[in-house]
């Protein structure tokens, strides 16, 4: 099992949300200057833009598009709500296809007061309905399990085991999993489930940041790698032992870091990546 330090930025990818103050144009200008070679694009940055053109600009700047973030949810109290979610997922696939992103990351919803089993059943139906559309557009869907602190309203899929079960039930090259250290670091089964995920060909993406013990906000106070307690390098060694060879995607939501100078923050990301990932 390799847990050696990384020596270059070849596999570093940054999510656009990480530098939230920047527009997609500023990102296309500033990431390559800093030596970042890959980007995962959040859909809000494509609003009132032509996705195909943005994709061309990203590639023209020497970067690769790793994924489009995000679709999913699938849950609803009424059929209309479920249909709205489905329509949005089809749009996400259209956008990914135009952008040239091979993967759409899915957050699979939960509803306050609705049982987890009902949410899981709705997610299953949603994925089943969406899969032919994803296949037709050659876009892969990556189920991202979220930390159980989001099980009330955001995600009924909270462990890698549950995500693996979903992916294995479909047994399709178009449905897999995104492993995010922020959501999964605490799970005593993580190493085994990473192995299982890789063995079934389902390990589509690897997201990194850190878990601060003095977190002030459940959503927007994630840490830069090294600021918290996640054993990121160890988890990287597990996903790589499971056969993962893709990008290491830095995805940080942080009011504190968004307030800082974003060019300096990007430099800190690079240093932290080489030091702690
Ligand atoms: Zn993530």
């Amino acid at each position: 099992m390799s847990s050696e330090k990384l020596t270059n930025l070849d596999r570093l990818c940054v999510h656009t949300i990480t530098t939230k103050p920047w527009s997609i144009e500023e990102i296309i200008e500033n990431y390559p200057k800093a030596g970042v070679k890959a980007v995962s694009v959040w859909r809000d940055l494509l609003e009132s833009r032509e996705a195909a053109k943005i994709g061309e600009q990203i590639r023209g700047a020497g970067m690769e598009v790793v994924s489009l973030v995000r679709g999913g949810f699938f849950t609803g109290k009424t059929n209309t709500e479920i249909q709205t979610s489905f329509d949005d997922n089809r749009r996400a696939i259209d956008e990914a296809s135009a952008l040239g992103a091979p993967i759409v990351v899915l957050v699979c919803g939960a509803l306050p007061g609705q049982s987890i089993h009902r949410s899981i059943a709705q997610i299953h139906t949603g994925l089943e309905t969406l899969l032919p559309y994803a296949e037709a557009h050659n876009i892969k869907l990556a189920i991202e399990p979220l930390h159980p602190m989001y099980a009330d309203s955001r995600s009924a899929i909270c462990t890698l085991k549950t995500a693996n079960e979903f992916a294995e039930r479909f047994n399709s090259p178009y449905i897999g999993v995104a492993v995010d250290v922020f959501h999964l670091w605490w799970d005593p089964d993580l190493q085994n489930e990473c192995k299982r995920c890789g063995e079934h060909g389902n390990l589509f993406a690897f997201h990194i940041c850190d878990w601060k013990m003095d977190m002030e906000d459940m959503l927007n106070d994630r840490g830069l790698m090294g600021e918290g307690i996640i054993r990121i390098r160890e988890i990287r060694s597990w996903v790589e032992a499971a056969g993962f060879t893709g990008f290491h995607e830095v995805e940080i939501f942080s009011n504190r870091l968004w307030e800082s100078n974003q060019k300096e923050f990007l430099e800190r990301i690079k240093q932290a990546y080489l030091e702690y990932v």
Side-chain angles (χ1 to χ4, degrees):
M1 184 191 303
S2 159
S3 53
E4 283 167 19
K5 266 191 181 186
L6 296 156
T7 55
N8 61 57
L9 304 176
D10 288 353
R11 291 174 66 192
L12 169 66
C13 166
V14 180
H15 278 231
T16 59
I17 191 93
T18 302
T19 55
K20 194 179 177 190
W22 279 346
S23 66
I24 191 69
E25 288 78 15
E26 286 170 302
I27 282 166
I28 294 168
E29 186 188 340
N30 290 315
Y31 283 16
K33 273 187 196 160
V36 175
K37 297 182 179 73
V39 61
S40 279
V41 177
W42 278 59
R43 291 175 68 197
D44 57 307
L45 286 191
L46 296 178
E47 272 168 31
S48 67
R49 305 286 199 285
E50 236 182 278
K53 205 170 146 199
I54 296 294
E56 276 169 31
Q57 288 170 353
I58 291 172
R59 283 181 289 278
M63 287 195 292
E64 193 171 318
V65 182
V66 176
S67 62
L68 181 73
V69 195
R70 61 198 183 183
F73 297 96
F74 301 115
T75 48
K77 286 203 173 68
T78 62
N79 286 340
T80 312
E81 282 178 17
I82 290 172
Q83 186 61 44
T84 303
S85 170
F86 179 68
D87 292 344
D88 186 60
N89 279 311
R90 282 218 304 217
R91 274 196 298 278
I93 288 170
D94 292 341
E95 287 168 22
S97 177
L99 185 70
I103 292 174
V104 172
V105 176
L106 303 177
V107 167
C108 297
L111 288 177
Q114 173 164 293
S115 82
I116 194 161
H117 299 292
R118 184 164 170 79
S119 293
I120 283 178
Q122 289 179 340
I123 293 163
H124 190 270
T125 307
L127 276 171
E128 203 169 38
T129 318
L130 193 62
L131 181 57
Y133 198 74
E135 282 172 348
H137 289 77
N138 195 27
I139 299 292
K140 294 183 177 194
L141 305 172
I143 299 167
E144 178 164 2
L146 300 196
H147 190 281
M149 69 178 169
Y150 302 120
D152 56 351
S153 59
R154 281 197 171 78
S155 179
I157 299 181
C158 299
T159 63
L160 184 49
K161 179 169 179 273
T162 309
N164 277 335
E165 286 168 356
F166 260 98
E168 287 163 27
R169 223 175 293 148
F170 283 99
N171 191 26
S172 159
Y174 288 92
I175 293 186
V177 179
V179 169
D180 186 323
V181 299
F182 180 82
H183 298 300
L184 302 176
W185 64 271
W186 56 272
D187 184 349
D189 293 327
L190 185 55
Q191 184 176 8
N192 283 336
E193 292 295 330
C194 282
K195 187 166 178 277
R196 169 182 174 181
C197 193
E199 278 171 358
H200 287 83
N202 290 330
L203 221 169
F204 285 3
F206 181 51
H207 297 176
I208 50 176
C209 68
D210 215 335
W211 178 282
K212 289 167 63 216
M213 286 179 62
D214 58 350
M215 197 185 306
E216 288 173 2
D217 181 309
M218 278 165 59
L219 196 60
N220 292 325
D221 193 19
R222 295 190 187 186
L224 177 63
M225 297 79 76
E227 286 185 331
I229 48 75
I230 302 178
R231 296 161 63 89
I232 304 171
R233 186 168 302 145
E234 185 173 54
I235 300 175
R236 172 170 72 86
S237 77
W238 296 342
V239 300
E240 289 177 357
F244 180 76
T245 56
F247 284 96
H248 309 127
E249 304 181 40
V250 176
E251 183 193 32
I252 305 174
F253 313 157
S254 166
N255 292 327
R256 172 180 56 95
L257 295 164
W258 289 331
E259 278 167 17
S260 70
N261 177 303
Q262 296 299 284
K263 281 186 185 166
E264 286 168 18
F265 176 35
L266 205 49
E267 291 304 312
R268 288 180 64 200
I269 289 172
K270 285 156 55 182
Q271 286 164 15
Y273 174 73
L274 295 174
E275 185 64 29
Y276 298 104
V277 182

